[in-house]
Amino acid sequence: MTDNASLRRTQVDALTEAEAAEELAALAREIAGHDVAYHQKDAPTVTDAEYDALRQRNTAIENRFPALVRIDSPNAAAPGAAPAAGFGKLRHGTPMLSLDNAFAPEDFLEFAASIRRFLKLSDGEPLHFVGEPKIDGLSVNLTYQDGKFVRGATRGDGTEGEDITQNLLTLDELPRTLKAPFPAQIEIRGEVYMTKPDFLRFQAEQQQAAEERERRREAGERVGEAVRVPVNPRNAAAGSLRQLDPSVTARRPLRLFAYAQGVSSEPVAASHSEYLAVLKRWGFKVNPLSRLLPDAEAAAAFQVEMGEKRAGLDYDIDGVVYKLDKLDWQERLGFVGRAPRWAIAWKFPAERATTKLLRIEIQVGRTGALTPRAVMEPVSVGGVMVQHASLHNEDEILRKDVREGDTVILQRAGDVIPQIVGILPEKRPADSKPFDFPTTCPACGSHAVRPPGEVVKRCTGGLICPAQTVERLIHFASRVAADIEGLGAENVILLHEAGLLKAPADIFRLKDHRDTMLAFRGWGAKKVDNLLAAIEARRDMPLEKFIFALGIRRIGEANAKLLARHYHTVEAWRQAMLDARIIGSEAREGLGSIAGIGPAIADELVEFFKEPRNLTALDALLAEVQPTPPEAIAAGDSELAGKSIVFTGTLVTMSRDEASARAERLGAKVTKSVSKKTDLVVVGADAGSKATKAAELGLTVLTEAQWREMAGLPPA
Ligand code: IVH
């Protein structure tokens, strides 16, 4: 597992193509993971700012290397996430779009002016808008056929959402049937939300349940799935609506306001205000604060009025949605990108509050990142009680000059996780001291490193750190790594919670715990024995899989393969990595000379081997498994087998990558620099110093044609 939360180390301009490709792959994976956490699990794992930084980095790299843009690029899809597995999918009759934002009166005036320009309206022509408080919940699409509710979906990716019909049927405020007259078929859109008092009650219940579970887990009891404590009403509503078991949704206090339409078999109104009246007649709740506004000035006044009402409302709003009232104009205006030209969301400024910072805690993420977190005296920001905020990293603490004991200014904008935006220097206690960022991991005591240019400090005890254990074990056993059948994420978690798995070596000792496993619910003898047999079958996994399975940062499958080919045996690799800890050593140079292994990768390997706890875990693992050397394909048959080869200059008949791959396949080691240990130097056009050095050292120098012949390729 190469972990990438902080690959933001290298300037984009300085990335090589290979590094860029590797990072784009990593970013695609990581961003997709955050999308799933946010949209499908309703449990965001990073702040919006961190998420945006990842996307920006991705875009910057894509802009520099357009040829590397991936098919799964985070920029290929609209933000939002494809439907989660578990729910059926439903396609919306017309796409569910998002809204452009306005933040200031000028933005709104420009929005109104652009409507006039587009429709070629004269200044005298009145523009009516409907203003609707923008509730932060979860938008849903409700389909009615012949006046009966037949199905409902989440927004999903805007085109296709999840079928949450059964869950929606648990909402009191959802009309099962429409009061006649109604069109034969119509889609109605609205927002499912939770009120602030309901949210606070529900959050407290979940908090208690989570603590209770933790107590039981610590007491060694088997516990069920983790309890999610929602961070805000939106999060709570989304999580409640997306329960696979509708009886869970039924116990959650969810409400619904209707506000828009999708496809309809016949028109039902000429204006949006009329449409809202129809919705009410059909039996929907329509936000009672919604108002028809005669012009842009009235809209600006409504914005101020809603801003003043905001704190006193029963539910969270983050702005007001303004929609052009005339539906035929809406139709003509249409959409640009993912947003309509006829509506805009005018956001309120972020809400702020001040409170005291009690202490700074360091949390260790699943990938070993040490993240500082502020623990504060609880304070209400925009109606939500807040007592934690991420401080992101060491530099951020320095930059904001935040210290324990300070009075901090907190900000929450929409559903953004609260941020500390600054401090009140006049309230700083006289004896305050700058925060001392730890140099060891608070979870396992391993040393923590922060490579030059990188912002994140990271625990190096990957194999043993309890904060990272589960993730590492899942990776180790996964299909792409050790490939242990029957040891997927779910079982790893179960075995870890039962105390049977702490480090990878424990997997191979599970056979001593057969009886314990037999006692697990639903684990018959057959299941246990199949698992144990699958584990036994991996005691001699290929070296490249073994290296990859260790989950060293930046050592993905490709790099693991390069290492396995180069060092051949696990003993040789282990020893070389230990020796490479010394800068300037022959082993370090050797590592650096492997084509495809850049300095950043070499550094990660060395850091891993510098941590004695990792070595202990590695050796424990090596007492259990015997990785097999990579097959040197037809090695015996080729003159190249076992030779060390350098390609220099431009080859005419094939790329250097292809030549390297060919050489490796025939059992050669490809290195970048020429030394007396080099056996062969293939010299292409315009070769420089390496060719000269080869000649000086009296090495065997080949032309491209001679190389082709030796590699068994036909003359070009
Ligand atoms: S209309 C094309 N009206 O805001 C029009 N949306 O940023 C699309 N929302 O996904 C939506 N209150 O979740 C509309 N009165 C309202 C709304 C509203 C909240 C949310 C909705 C939507 C998002 C768009």
Side-chain angles (χ1 to χ4, degrees), residues 440-480:
T440 55
C441 170
C444 72
S446 298
H447 71 285
V449 293
R450 182 177 162 194
E454 202 173 326
V455 290
V456 176
K457 202 173 235 178
R458 213 170 271 283
C459 165
T460 55
L463 285 185
I464 51 98
C465 178
Q468 301 172 63
T469 313
V470 169
E471 206 67 4
R472 296 289 173 136
L473 288 167
I474 291 172
H475 170 73
F476 186 92
S478 67
R479 199 182 44 76
V480 283

Side-chain angles (χ1 to χ4, degrees), residues 133-146:
K134 185 171 185 294
I135 295 195
D136 217 5
L138 193 79
S139 54
V140 292
N141 188 23
L142 312 165
T143 304
Y144 287 80
Q145 251 160 21
D146 300 318

Side-chain angles (χ1 to χ4, degrees), residues 143-151 178 181-187 263-268 282:
T143 304
Y144 287 80
Q145 251 160 21
D146 300 318
K148 284 197 193 61
F149 172 68
V150 287
R151 59 183 172 270
L178 305 180
F182 43 73
Q185 167 131 7
I186 187 165
E187 282 178 346
V263 280
S264 175
S265 53
E266 57 195 272
V268 293
W282 281 340

Side-chain angles (χ1 to χ4, degrees), residues 365-376:
R366 288 175 311 174
T367 55
L370 304 194
T371 308
R373 182 167 90 140
V375 182
M376 298 160 297

